[in-house]
Amino acid sequence: MKIIFIFQIALVMIFSGCSFNKSDNKECSIENKTEITSQTIEAIEKTTLSKDTKTKLDLGKVDEWSFNSRSKFIYFTDYGRYYPVEIGGRNSANYVLCFDEGNDNPKILTETENYVSYYCDQKAIYISKYNFDNHVFGIYKVQRDKVTALKEITGNMMYNIYFDDSYIYYTQLIKGNNSIIYRMDYEGNNCEIVLDISDDNIDIFAMMVYNNKIWYEYVNRSSGDYTNNISCFDLTTGENTKLKNGEIGLINNGFMYYTSCEEPNKLIRFNLSKYEDEVVINNDKILSAFDFYGDHILYSSGDLLYKYSDNENTPIFSIQDYFEDESYRIREIQCQDNRIFIKIGSGAFCQCIIEIDIDGNVIELIHED
């Protein structure tokens, strides 16, 4: 059971861009530099980037619940902020939430060990976690330094958790079957089955609710190729439609943007009304993270952060300006309230969270392990 849980957590981390690659122990440090060096420019010249000039971004506001339900690395509430910190040392390290009220005395919430974070409503954040000692899996509300259970189950687990304005959706592993979608209210009550595929060969890996439809990503193990597919279930008509190969991502102005495990150098978007997709960014290196800032897409590739629009594809931040070690990467990008946050990491237990502006200047080093 523990192996299955770790595998599912890894899938969530891959989707949110926060997986860690194990390497030798490293010391993290960052300086407040504000320009891209000649070494960086050299690296940029060696990187070939192509753009489909026919693709007009026409960006709008990111769908509220698509943003809310995605796992993030920093959360803001009316009374403070939360972010992950490492505990346990290099031999037994794990990440837990830290509650920072801005008084230089952040509180380490050790009871959030093995957590995955989701929705934040300014008053609380919602997480899931598994207790390996008593085999209890649950969804919890975190307010200040208090963790309260909304729903707990023993022996089974809840995955692919998604929040909308009325319900918490999730799939549950029962006798190896990960193809049933449930929902409950925000008090953990009134639990009901929404979609029962009743097929032991179907594994759902991610989902979201948009335009009164559940869009879900799954693999059909009976096919033998383990290709990720997208389907949508209409909550009004009950119609379940298989659409295409693809993956769940972030919704912006009627398109779902995602990176593909099969083509990791591309950013693709899927039209949620026409059921058509197109390549937005085609890079010669792996595109590891992306987010939206105004009329730009910010994305990381290699050790560089770019801002991309209809008219430009410009590097704004280089890790090499801050870390000499080439193993550092920008693992996650988070844009909200006209602010930009990036998480940089190397190996399993070295990360730092910083805020930058749209030109790549460092505003604040928030935390480093």
Side-chain angles (χ1 to χ4, degrees):
M1 184 65 75
K2 182 173 181 178
I3 293 174
I4 294 173
F5 176 77
I6 291 172
F7 174 70
Q8 290 287 345
I9 291 297
L11 288 173
V12 174
M13 298 179 96
I14 288 170
F15 169 63
S16 61
C18 60
S19 60
F20 292 100
N21 296 318
K22 188 173 182 180
S23 67
D24 295 335
N25 296 339
K26 308 198 182 289
E27 294 298 325
C28 296
S29 63
I30 187 166
E31 299 175 11
N32 188 16
K33 299 183 181 179
T34 57
E35 61 182 21
I36 295 179
T37 65
S38 58
Q39 181 183 6
T40 303
I41 295 172
E42 228 173 273
I44 297 165
E45 290 173 348
K46 294 178 182 177
T47 302
T48 302
L49 295 165
S50 63
K51 176 181 177 181
D52 182 355
T53 55
K54 296 180 181 180
T55 300
K56 296 297 183 182
L57 291 180
D58 191 25
L59 296 178
K61 186 177 180 181
V62 175
D63 178 69
E64 175 185 3
W65 296 101
S66 173
F67 175 81
N68 285 342
S69 291
R70 119 198 195 200
S71 186
K72 294 178 278 293
F73 58 89
I74 187 166
Y75 292 86
F76 297 92
T77 65
D78 294 335
Y79 47 82
R81 61 190 183 186
Y82 297 84
Y83 47 81
V85 298
E86 175 216 326
I87 61 170
R90 291 296 188 256
N91 294 325
S92 60
N94 202 349
Y95 282 86
V96 300
L97 278 174
C98 169
F99 171 46
D100 183 354
E101 294 181 278
N103 56 7
D104 298 324
N105 186 30
K107 298 178 180 178
I108 309 301
L109 308 183
T110 56
E111 61 269 45
T112 62
E113 191 170 7
N114 300 318
Y115 82 94
V116 176
S117 56
Y118 297 97
Y119 171 48
C120 175
D121 63 3
Q122 306 303 313
K123 297 178 181 179
I125 66 173
Y126 294 80
I127 68 171
S128 66
K129 69 185 185 79
Y130 183 73
N131 188 317
F132 289 106
D133 294 328
N134 57 17
H135 305 292
V136 170
F137 189 93
I139 299 176
Y140 303 85
K141 178 188 291 188
V142 182
Q143 292 179 295
R144 296 189 179 273
D145 57 353
K146 183 179 180 182
V147 181
T148 305
L150 293 182
K151 184 178 184 64
E152 292 183 322
I153 58 176
T154 301
N156 295 318
M157 301 182 190
M158 293 174 280
Y159 304 117
N160 312 314
I161 301 168
Y162 191 88
F163 296 77
D164 74 1
D165 54 353
S166 301
Y167 299 102
I168 302 173
Y169 292 80
Y170 62 92
T171 58
Q172 187 170 334
L173 187 66
I174 301 176
K175 295 182 179 180
N177 191 331
N178 191 21
S179 55
I180 301 175
I181 298 177
Y182 301 80
R183 69 183 180 187
M184 63 183 180
D185 61 31
Y186 273 73
E187 301 302 318
N189 301 319
N190 300 311
C191 180
E192 61 180 340
I193 294 176
V194 179
L195 175 62
D196 185 352
I197 300 175
S198 296
D199 189 338
D200 288 341
N201 290 312
I202 298 295
D203 290 327
I204 298 173
F205 286 103
M207 64 181 173
M208 61 174 53
V209 181
Y210 178 74
N211 278 352
N212 210 35
K213 296 178 181 179
I214 299 177
W215 308 80
Y216 63 96
E217 172 189 343
Y218 69 95
V219 165
N220 187 340
R221 286 183 276 112
S222 64
S223 66
D225 63 0
Y226 294 91
T227 300
N228 291 52
N229 300 281
I230 295 290
S231 287
C232 73
F233 175 73
D234 193 310
L235 289 166
T236 302
T237 66
E239 182 180 4
N240 192 24
T241 307
K242 179 180 178 180
L243 298 175
K244 59 180 288 293
N245 297 340
E247 301 179 23
I248 293 296
L250 294 176
I251 296 177
N252 184 304
N253 204 23
F255 290 88
M256 182 162 59
Y257 290 74
Y258 67 94
T259 56
S260 167
C261 292
E262 297 176 346
E263 297 180 290
N265 61 319
K266 295 179 180 179
L267 179 64
I268 302 168
R269 71 179 183 183
F270 177 61
N271 190 311
L272 293 172
S273 58
K274 297 181 179 179
Y275 302 158
E276 299 171 348
D277 60 9
E278 59 186 337
V279 176
V280 178
I281 298 174
N282 189 2
N283 192 13
D284 71 341
K285 293 183 179 180
I286 292 176
L287 198 152
S288 53
F290 72 93
D291 206 350
F292 304 95
Y293 185 87
D295 57 357
H296 287 87
I297 297 175
L298 300 186
Y299 74 94
S300 62
S301 181
D303 58 1
L304 295 173
L305 176 68
Y306 295 83
K307 63 178 179 180
Y308 181 94
S309 69
D310 289 331
N311 302 312
E312 68 175 322
N313 186 34
T314 307
I316 62 172
F317 182 90
S318 169
I319 291 179
Q320 301 235 350
D321 291 339
Y322 300 90
F323 300 104
E324 294 181 0
D325 193 312
E326 295 182 357
S327 67
Y328 287 90
R329 291 291 181 267
I330 299 172
R331 289 178 164 157
E332 294 185 64
I333 305 166
Q334 183 177 326
C335 302
Q336 65 183 102
D337 301 326
N338 296 316
R339 302 171 72 181
I340 303 168
F341 305 91
I342 60 176
K343 184 166 75 171
I344 300 170
S346 175
F349 308 123
C350 187
Q351 70 165 2
C352 69
I353 298 171
I354 64 176
E355 181 179 359
I356 63 172
D357 64 20
I358 191 60
D359 297 314
N361 301 309
V362 175
I363 296 174
E364 181 187 3
L365 169 60
I366 295 172
H367 175 76
E368 63 177 324
D369 289 311

